[in-house]
Amino acid sequence: MGKGGKSHQEGEENMAAWLVDLNTLKIQPFKLPPLGPHDVRVRMKAVGICGSDVHFLKTLRLADFVVKEPMVIGHECAGIIEEIGSEVKNLVPGDRVALEPGIGCWRCDLCKEGRYNICPDMKFFATPPVHGSLARQVVHPADLCFKLPDNLSLEEGAMCEPLSVAVHACRRANIGPETNVLVMGAGPIGLVTLLAARAFGAPRIVIVDVDDYRLSVANNLGADGVVKVSTNMQDIPEEVERICEVMGAVGVHVTFDCAGFNKTMSTALSATRAGGKVCLVGLGHNEMTVPLTPAAARYLFQ
């Protein structure tokens, strides 16, 4: 799984961006594994830098995942097929592809149910101890490489991975034409969740953040309303009142917390109407203290 190395182009050594210590990246050789019959070799052309990469760079950990030895970063990626395994039928050299960065075991009950994203043996790019894809080339299962249409750039192809987060959230929350949506956080995932919710038919979407620039971007992307908030917990009651005013009389049916902090989740639980849903998308705090009992009394949990 994407363990980099010597390129098949003579004289070119496969190189990658290795996280070797706190705030320390080095470009070093990255050895490719043998090409299996169902694998492809992909020349990377676009790799995004995710918040998880930044967490690992700054702290060498994200939640329970700890970098204990040098690791190649990067998982939002797209590239061009250079070589295919003997049993690969759906791709040919030259195809432009987006890579699904998570490899399930394909054998457990969860994988067989189609829920491979929570496979207990998941191997995900740039999640310790699995190396990532910020390299000249990687080897990857052909089944997890998806051909891009001609009208989609490789950079847009690399963004399919964060887009899939928002699409999955909207599917889980059953977003539709009668669902008013509140988004907590106007960072990259919050903004792509705004776009996905609109594509799913949400008639009114309000987005919340502490930063004026991010809120201006949300406005430009079509948010129906924005609310600037603080980082102070004591401001929640007043901010919830403002959120509800901006949303309108019908209220918030679904809230996506795309930050995952004590305050954002507490605000989400307070702002969502009785019988609504709160969906945790962002993972900021490993542990949170939130008002569960009042939220349960209003049927926000199922």
Side-chain angles (χ1 to χ4, degrees):
M1 144 94 195
K3 293 190 176 177
K6 278 279 187 181
S7 166
H8 285 230
Q9 292 188 7
E10 187 176 353
E12 181 188 50
E13 186 172 24
N14 196 45
M15 306 295 284
W18 290 77
L19 175 60
V20 298
D21 205 341
L22 281 172
N23 296 311
T24 305
L25 292 173
K26 290 187 178 181
I27 305 302
Q28 298 180 153
F30 187 39
K31 187 177 180 181
L32 283 170
L35 188 73
H38 299 283
D39 294 335
V40 292
R41 181 166 52 86
V42 185
R43 178 170 291 275
M44 291 289 96
K45 290 295 185 179
V47 181
I49 301 299
C50 180
S52 64
D53 296 310
V54 176
H55 271 288
F56 286 132
L57 176 67
K58 290 184 174 182
T59 67
L60 295 182
R61 70 177 301 145
L62 176 62
D64 294 330
F65 298 104
V66 180
V67 180
K68 297 180 179 179
E69 57 186 24
M71 178 186 78
V72 176
I73 63 169
H75 64 265
E76 304 168 350
C77 54
I80 298 174
I81 301 292
E82 291 211 333
E83 185 181 6
I84 63 173
S86 59
E87 297 299 317
V88 175
K89 310 298 182 186
N90 60 320
L91 296 168
V92 297
D95 281 346
R96 302 158 63 253
V97 295
L99 281 66
E100 156 62 82
I103 303 176
C105 73
W106 299 337
R107 294 180 298 275
C108 70
D109 289 342
L110 289 167
C111 283
K112 290 175 181 178
E113 291 170 6
R115 307 179 72 191
Y116 73 96
N117 58 305
I118 49 176
C119 171
D121 195 33
M122 169 65 69
K123 294 178 175 60
F124 197 94
F125 276 152
T127 303
V130 181
H131 291 305
S133 58
L134 188 50
R136 283 179 176 163
Q137 300 185 49
V138 298
V139 167
H140 205 57
D143 285 345
L144 298 179
C145 295
F146 299 89
K147 190 173 179 179
L148 296 173
D150 292 338
N151 64 343
L152 206 64
S153 71
L154 285 158
E155 289 79 8
E156 289 168 327
M159 293 299 98
C160 287
E161 194 275 341
L163 175 62
S164 71
V165 173
V167 171
H168 182 57
C170 287
R171 285 176 174 170
R172 291 192 69 193
N174 295 317
I175 301 302
E178 297 182 351
T179 314
N180 285 342
V181 171
L182 173 65
V183 179
M184 303 298 301
I189 293 299
L191 294 173
V192 78
T193 299
L194 158 67
L195 295 173
R198 182 69 78 211
F200 274 72
R204 187 163 182 80
I205 306 170
V206 173
I207 193 162
V208 172
D209 203 276
V210 299
D211 185 82
D212 285 320
Y213 175 73
R214 289 185 171 191
L215 291 175
S216 71
V217 175
N219 261 326
N220 292 335
L221 290 176
D224 298 295
V226 299
V227 178
K228 185 177 181 180
V229 296
S230 74
T231 58
N232 298 320
M233 294 291 290
Q234 61 265 31
D235 293 336
I236 289 178
E238 185 220 341
E239 290 169 356
V240 167
E241 186 174 336
R242 281 196 284 130
I243 289 168
C244 292
E245 288 175 359
V246 173
M247 180 60 76
V250 175
V252 178
H253 296 104
V254 173
T255 299
F256 294 109
D257 182 357
C258 296
F261 296 115
N262 283 330
K263 190 186 179 212
T264 55
M265 179 53 72
S266 295
T267 302
L269 292 170
S270 299
T272 305
R273 60 180 280 175
K277 299 176 184 176
V278 175
C279 183
L280 178 60
V281 181
L283 302 176
H285 285 155
N286 198 34
E287 296 181 2
M288 289 189 283
T289 301
V290 295
L292 290 183
T293 300
R298 294 167 47 240
Y299 273 69
L300 297 183
F301 303 107
Q302 298 179 5

